[in-house]
Amino acid sequence: MTTPLFLLRCVQLGLSIRDLDLLTIGMVNDMFAESRNDDFKYREVATQKDFDLF
């Protein structure tokens, strides 16, 4: 990953320079990947009962 791409991802996530003091590159990458999943519609969502049975 290049520096410009990393900074673009930070801007897309709404992160500030101050936020980057607390985050690693890996954490920013994970946050970006998870943000792409926000609009995905799951057919079934687990409930507390499902977790208890697990």
Side-chain angles (χ1 to χ4, degrees):
M1 171 186 304
T2 63
T3 302
L5 179 58
F6 176 75
L7 293 174
L8 174 64
R9 288 187 175 169
C10 291
V11 169
Q12 290 171 329
L13 290 169
L15 299 175
S16 68
I17 295 296
R18 276 193 186 162
D19 294 333
L20 295 180
D21 285 338
L22 305 172
L23 301 171
T24 65
I25 293 172
M27 291 171 76
V28 172
N29 283 335
D30 289 344
M31 290 169 61
F32 183 78
E34 288 299 322
S35 73
R36 301 295 106 192
N37 293 335
D38 288 347
D39 296 330
F40 186 80
K41 301 295 181 203
Y42 294 97
R43 285 187 282 156
E44 184 176 341
V45 179
T47 64
Q48 185 61 49
K49 182 180 177 184
D50 295 324
F51 281 104
D52 293 342
L53 291 172
F54 183 68

